[in-house]
Amino acid sequence: MKRKHYVLSSLFLSLGVIGALSGCSSEEATSSTGDQVVVVGTQNDYPPFAFADDTNELTGYDVEMVKAIDEKLDGYTFEFVAVPWDSMFLALESNKVQAIADQVAKTPERQEKYLFTDESYFAAETVIAVKTGREDIQTVEDLEGKAVGALAGDSYTLLLEEYNETADTPIELKYSESGNPSEILQDVQNGRVDAYVNDPIMMNAVLEKNDLGVEIVGQPLVNDDMGIVLKNGEEGEKLKSLIDPILKELKEDGTLADLSIKWTGGEYIPE
């Protein structure tokens, strides 16, 4: 097994920063060891999957999953950079990152536009969170006519936007300007929005850390498989062909299950 030095950048890319970065393709970049560099975009505020730790380095399940792949993939070095969610796919399209590991659900719409690994590395639920003690919201139908916090472009918001297309009374989606899920959960506690729809593992981690008076209610709305998103094109296809067998191996040898237990307390690995 190769020994590697990881570059964990705390740089938080914004649209302006992306535009100002060098136009040279990271597909041509090499590390000091001669490995080809693959820049992986992820968030720095989405615990326990991807977040900045006390030393301001990126860590979490998704980051360690990529590290496990990197350890087995010769000829490549993976470097991580924090990117806000609303800039994530722009960074991929403009080749500022060549991969995304950020709990991206494999929706049909995304699979038409982007290249995903065939192997999924995590199975996530979609649930509703409300202020503790509130009893009038249990299902997606109960959200009709109510204000719900949202992040533009994420799979949870897309689910609600799709629901609104046929709803008698549309859900009032309140799009976050900060793009920070923890701030939306604070809005739920403070009554600025009625609910938030997202992954229960992330929300429980934020609720525990910030001691918020918010709880998850009802049954999961849907279940999604998460995949690594790669840059479309020849290089992305090449990486996909290399990464998929390794992801399969990490499932079979229990590595992903161990990481899932470490970071989430349970095994959420799709077959």
Side-chain angles (χ1 to χ4, degrees):
M1 182 178 293
K2 60 183 179 179
R3 300 175 64 87
K4 305 198 73 172
H5 170 68
Y6 292 96
V7 179
L8 294 181
S9 173
S10 61
L11 174 65
F12 199 80
L13 293 180
S14 66
L15 286 171
V17 175
I18 288 174
L21 287 176
S22 167
C24 102
S25 168
S26 291
E27 292 176 358
E28 301 172 353
T30 57
S31 69
S32 59
T33 61
D35 288 350
Q36 184 168 314
V37 174
V38 178
V39 181
V40 182
T42 194
Q43 293 181 82
N44 69 354
D45 57 2
Y46 201 80
F49 302 105
F51 62 99
D53 64 14
D54 292 339
T55 64
N56 208 31
E57 289 191 341
L58 295 172
T59 191
Y61 174 82
D62 285 41
V63 174
E64 289 204 359
M65 176 272 301
V66 173
K67 286 184 182 181
I69 294 171
D70 198 4
E71 289 293 334
K72 292 179 176 290
L73 184 56
D74 291 322
Y76 290 84
T77 291
F78 290 73
E79 299 182 357
F80 301 89
V81 63
V83 185
W85 172 256
D86 60 5
S87 301
M88 193 73 70
F89 290 99
L90 176 59
L92 183 69
E93 291 164 4
S94 59
N95 202 39
K96 305 311 175 188
V97 304
Q98 291 75 56
I100 299 172
D102 195 52
Q103 290 290 297
V104 181
K106 292 181 172 182
T107 64
E109 296 79 11
R110 286 179 181 152
Q111 288 179 302
E112 286 182 3
K113 190 172 183 181
Y114 302 105
L115 183 64
F116 279 81
T117 53
D118 291 332
E119 293 289 336
S120 302
Y121 66 87
F122 198 81
E125 295 178 337
T126 298
V127 297
I128 301 170
V130 301
K131 186 172 182 178
T132 301
R134 186 162 182 171
E135 298 180 352
D136 61 322
I137 296 176
Q138 294 289 321
T139 68
V140 67
E141 290 81 9
D142 295 333
L143 296 176
E144 290 188 14
K146 296 183 175 65
V148 177
L151 292 177
D154 76 4
S155 58
Y156 310 102
T157 301
L158 293 174
L159 174 70
L160 299 180
E161 290 172 340
E162 183 177 328
Y163 179 85
N164 273 348
E165 293 176 4
T166 58
D168 293 333
T169 304
I171 299 165
E172 184 183 356
L173 296 173
K174 296 289 188 180
Y175 295 92
S176 168
E177 295 182 0
S178 70
N180 190 328
S182 65
E183 291 187 11
I184 300 177
L185 287 167
Q186 290 172 11
D187 288 343
V188 174
Q189 175 181 263
N190 297 331
R192 286 189 284 269
V193 296
D194 296 294
Y196 185 34
V197 174
N198 207 299
D199 164 65
I201 296 172
M202 180 280 296
M203 290 200 290
N204 279 325
V206 172
L207 297 179
E208 182 177 353
K209 179 180 179 180
N210 297 283
D211 193 26
L212 298 178
V214 175
E215 62 182 350
I216 292 169
V217 295
Q219 297 298 313
L221 307 183
V222 295
N223 295 281
D224 289 307
D225 286 345
M226 306 298 170
I228 298 173
V229 193
L230 299 166
K231 172 75 174 169
N232 257 322
E234 183 179 350
E235 186 60 32
E237 292 284 358
K238 180 180 179 182
L239 275 172
K240 178 178 178 296
S241 70
L242 296 170
I243 290 173
D244 268 324
I246 296 175
L247 272 176
K248 183 177 181 181
E249 180 182 345
L250 294 174
K251 286 182 182 179
E252 293 175 347
D253 68 12
T255 299
L256 293 187
D258 289 344
L259 288 176
S260 179
I261 292 170
K262 172 184 175 180
W263 288 104
T264 73
E267 291 188 29
Y268 301 99
I269 310 302
E271 296 182 0

